Amino acid sequence: MVSASTKQTGLDKIIPGCAWLTVNRSCNFRCKGCYAQGTGYNPNQIMNLELAEELLSLIVKLKIKSITIIGGEPTLWPHLIAFNNLCKEFGEKTTIVTNSMRFGIDGFWEKYLESPNTKAGISIKAFDKDSLKEIAEVNSFEISEKGLKRAINHFKSGVSTVYNTLSATRIIDIARFAMDCGARYLSISPCTPAFCEGLPDNTYVVEPRVMANHIIDIYPKLVEVTGGKVNFSVKFPICLWPKDFVKNLVKEGQISTVCQLQHRTGLIFDVDGHLALCNSLFDYPIGKYGKDFNNDESLLKLMNSQSVIGSYDKLTSYPSTKCIECDKYDICAGGCPLFWTLYKPQDIIPGW
């Protein structure tokens, strides 16, 4: 890994532009390869409403206009409706990231509609009873399907799915099911390593070169099934694809690259107020609310401290010397840094 300084990334100062609240760790799914599996889905790990309100106030002072609510499964968070009401009072927009299954329960759906989120990031796991059981260890396919359709219709949204060893050969079926549920588009994102007891787990991660080649093979069918409404949230180096293929994806608006970690713009709060640089790095916090910062000024000071900048620099180093002179590095960043806990960049990155 070759160092890429803060100046090289085009950032003179870190100014957060987006925020996530991890409101719980419990989940009604047990998806294979989930980044949160290392938390044990502990039902006792819940953000209390007081902390959520204090973090909301801090986020508002930073002039961040939208908050993403994640888990676990945030529809299981007992304070969801109350927090949504608070956000409306502050004029803050919210996006809930959810598997939508609880929306299939009539009583919960009716209550939720009293104060819904502004948007939803809807995750689709499977396409029928058997695949949902295998991938997410859930038997209630009918309720899950009902919840998906309700959420998609209410939010007029698309859905996302994770490409892993279990879903790879079923992506076309998942895409067809998503469209049947009314999805406006399908976003496909690679499974990245989950961390269990500090060690990366590649059990369900598809090797980047294999994944890149497979997507090229199935691309025409995906376009047919989705009517071209497909997007690849690319986390591997885009030089794994031919230039013409990438140019076509850009032309069709079917590719997105580089996450908030590489932009250095995100605030990710855990259930107890710990602050992390990435959802998957919950075991490696950079500070805690009430201890290392307690307002917008002290938070900005922490984010721009040498220790945090050093952490960013290490995570966003050039993975390969081939990346240093690449004119596409600013839109690729050499792929997700988490991949390099499993693979050697020199073995994966071909360069253009």
Side-chain angles (χ1 to χ4, degrees), residues 56-293:
L56 170 60
S57 178
L58 187 156
I59 289 166
V60 170
K61 288 178 181 177
L62 289 169
K63 302 187 186 310
I64 296 173
K65 301 299 184 181
S66 181
I67 298 173
T68 301
I69 303 172
I70 58 175
E73 170 50 48
T75 59
L76 296 172
W77 187 39
H79 308 302
L80 178 61
I81 303 301
F83 183 72
N84 286 351
N85 286 327
L86 284 172
C87 288
K88 289 178 181 178
E89 292 177 14
F90 278 92
E92 198 80 11
K93 295 181 179 179
T94 59
T95 298
I96 185 171
V97 177
T98 176
N99 59 39
S100 296
M101 191 168 93
R102 286 204 81 197
F103 293 153
I105 301 172
D106 294 344
F108 178 80
W109 179 243
E110 291 170 6
K111 183 172 180 59
Y112 175 78
L113 288 179
E114 295 174 6
S115 187
N117 297 94
T118 314
K119 297 180 180 180
I122 302 169
S123 179
I124 189 168
K125 311 298 182 181
F127 59 92
D128 62 13
K129 182 178 180 179
D130 291 340
S131 60
L132 187 65
K133 174 63 176 176
E134 181 179 1
I135 294 172
E137 298 183 13
V138 172
N139 287 314
S140 304
F141 178 73
E142 294 78 8
I143 295 176
S144 177
E145 181 180 22
K146 187 177 182 180
L148 282 168
K149 289 180 176 179
R150 279 176 168 171
I152 290 168
N153 179 65
H154 176 80
F155 292 105
K156 304 294 187 286
S157 71
V159 299
S160 64
T161 194
V162 175
Y163 183 106
N164 60 27
T165 57
L166 292 177
S167 67
T169 59
R170 300 162 172 171
I171 287 294
I172 300 299
D173 291 319
I174 291 174
R176 188 176 290 110
F177 175 64
M179 296 300 112
D180 289 344
C181 287
R184 273 55 173 179
Y185 62 85
L186 173 68
S187 178
I188 300 173
S189 178
C191 177
T192 52
F195 286 82
C196 298
E197 298 181 355
L199 297 175
D201 179 9
N202 69 342
T203 305
Y204 301 101
V205 177
V206 179
E207 200 262 20
R209 290 170 296 189
V210 174
M211 176 169 36
N213 290 332
H214 183 229
I215 288 175
I216 291 175
D217 291 340
I218 64 175
Y219 174 74
K221 189 65 177 179
L222 277 171
V223 170
E224 176 189 335
V225 169
T226 64
K229 303 299 183 182
V230 62
N231 177 276
F232 301 99
S233 181
V234 182
K235 296 181 181 179
F236 53 72
I238 59 173
C239 59
L240 289 175
W241 278 334
K243 282 188 175 181
D244 288 344
F245 185 70
V246 174
K247 287 181 180 179
N248 180 68
L249 293 180
V250 172
K251 176 186 174 183
E252 299 297 330
Q254 295 172 340
I255 185 172
S256 57
T257 61
V258 188
C259 73
Q260 61 79 25
L261 173 64
Q262 288 143 331
H263 283 304
R264 308 187 182 199
T265 55
L267 298 173
I268 301 172
F269 295 101
D270 208 341
V271 294
D272 56 2
H274 274 105
L275 183 64
L277 298 182
C278 170
N279 291 327
S280 295
L281 299 177
F282 50 82
D283 274 345
Y284 305 94
I286 58 172
K288 185 177 182 180
Y289 176 74
K291 178 182 178 182
D292 302 295
F293 61 93

Side-chain angles (χ1 to χ4, degrees), residues 275-338:
L275 183 64
L277 298 182
C278 170
N279 291 327
S280 295
L281 299 177
F282 50 82
D283 274 345
Y284 305 94
I286 58 172
K288 185 177 182 180
Y289 176 74
K291 178 182 178 182
D292 302 295
F293 61 93
N294 52 28
N295 55 32
D296 54 321
E297 292 182 2
S298 55
L299 175 59
L300 287 175
K301 183 177 180 180
L302 172 66
M303 295 299 294
N304 287 277
S305 65
Q306 286 302 309
S307 61
V308 172
I309 289 174
S311 295
Y312 270 122
D313 284 346
K314 186 173 182 179
L315 285 167
T316 59
S317 298
Y318 293 113
S320 167
T321 54
K322 295 173 184 176
C323 297
I324 298 174
E325 300 300 327
C326 180
D327 62 0
K328 296 294 185 291
Y329 185 77
D330 59 333
I331 62 170
C332 170
C336 175
L338 300 185

